[in-house]
Amino acid sequence: MSVLSALGSINWIAVLLAVVAYSALGGVWFAVLFAKPYAASLGRESLPQPAQPALFFGGPAVATLFVVITTATLMAALNIDAAADAVVFALVVGVGYLAANTVIIAINPNMPRPLFYGLISGAYHLVGIVVTALIVVAF
């Protein structure tokens, strides 16, 4: 199947559910499970939590929408229709693109603990893409 026809065949309900799940995971991941380590990775452990503008909430959801649409399109183009294959696909994409790119972005002079940040955020994206792939394959 071509990528263009795969884009036309994705299940938009699955996409919506995966975006909601991935975004909810982010809220729990960064605000509850890893709030203190995440602040430490940013060098903000002793600073008060800053006010969050709307972009803080809406921006990641929009970007996640693109990640989920791309995932669903690639899964359709590759004819991935079994949960085990979806997990393998998600692990390859999660480690090879999402987690690796997170580390690449973090390695800069403005990030005090880039590898720690990469571990926390990269692991979030790895779990998020696995959940996404399982939702997409379920539909």
Side-chain angles (χ1 to χ4, degrees), residues 62-130:
V62 171
T64 298
L65 175 63
F66 284 97
V67 169
V68 171
I69 291 170
T70 301
T71 301
T73 302
L74 290 173
M75 289 177 65
L78 295 170
N79 209 16
I80 296 173
D81 58 3
D85 293 335
V87 170
V88 170
F89 171 81
L91 291 173
V92 169
V93 169
V95 171
Y97 286 122
L98 298 174
N101 196 48
T102 300
V103 172
I104 290 168
I105 291 168
I107 298 174
N108 72 70
N110 297 312
M111 187 67 66
R113 299 182 68 190
L115 297 180
F116 190 38
Y117 174 89
L119 177 66
I120 294 167
S121 295
Y124 155 69
H125 287 295
L126 183 60
V127 172
I129 202 68
V130 169

Side-chain angles (χ1 to χ4, degrees), residues 10 29 32-33 38-39 47 52 66 81 90 100 107 112 114 116 135:
I10 62 175
W29 195 273
V32 179
L33 296 176
Y38 182 63
L47 300 174
Q52 304 301 335
F66 284 97
D81 58 3
I107 298 174
F116 190 38
I135 290 171

